[in-house]
Amino acid sequence: MADLTGKKVLALASQGLEQIELTSPREALEGAGATVTLASPDGKEFQGMEGDWEKKDFFTPELKVSEAKAEDYDALLLPGGTLNADAMRLNKDARALVRAFLDAEKPVAAICHAPWLLIDSGVVEGRTLTSYESVAPDLQNAGANWVDQEVAIDGTLVTSRNPGDLEAFNAAIIEKLA
């Protein structure tokens, strides 16, 4: 496994987060030595979910999305969850962060419904991406080439379909960050 000691990753999440899509990558990144900081739109505690229906754990972010700066981190993690992804795509600071990370050629990793934020950030046209299957038409309508595979890597952008792909997603993030 790659040594990510000293690497800092920013994760954006809010109410309705698909919990395993945050906890699994965070554990993998921290296990490789990286530090993961959690930011939410309002900086307040929120509850994760399993499959959009079953309530899971509470998470307390370290900062608000508006307080985060791309230059302070080495990568951006965007977990899914329908409600979380829908809230994030409407957040102007989250959209600005996505663009700033990609402009700086830093890894951005999005899974499941999180590519909605990529669409609304204006960064998918001409890129090859994957996502949860219901997001595929949105990506295609925004000019992306959608593929049905565990992980799609396009430059510094890493995307994945769903929690069943987390092992491959986590490995791709770590490789991209190393």
Side-chain angles (χ1 to χ4, degrees), residues 86-104:
D86 196 48
M88 282 298 169
R89 73 190 299 187
L90 298 175
N91 185 288
K92 67 178 176 55
D93 296 310
R95 294 190 308 265
L97 275 171
V98 166
R99 289 188 299 271
F101 272 87
L102 289 172
D103 287 347

Side-chain angles (χ1 to χ4, degrees), residues 69-137:
K69 294 180 175 66
E71 57 265 21
D72 295 337
Y73 299 93
D74 300 295
L76 181 62
L77 172 63
L78 304 173
T82 310
L83 297 175
N84 168 62
D86 196 48
M88 282 298 169
R89 73 190 299 187
L90 298 175
N91 185 288
K92 67 178 176 55
D93 296 310
R95 294 190 308 265
L97 275 171
V98 166
R99 289 188 299 271
F101 272 87
L102 289 172
D103 287 347
E105 298 184 1
K106 294 180 178 185
V108 173
I111 187 169
C112 201
H113 287 80
W116 273 341
L117 174 55
L118 302 176
I119 293 168
D120 286 11
S121 298
V123 299
V124 302
E125 188 171 357
R127 292 182 177 265
T128 298
L129 305 158
T130 193
S131 66
Y132 190 71
E133 63 187 340
S134 66
V135 179

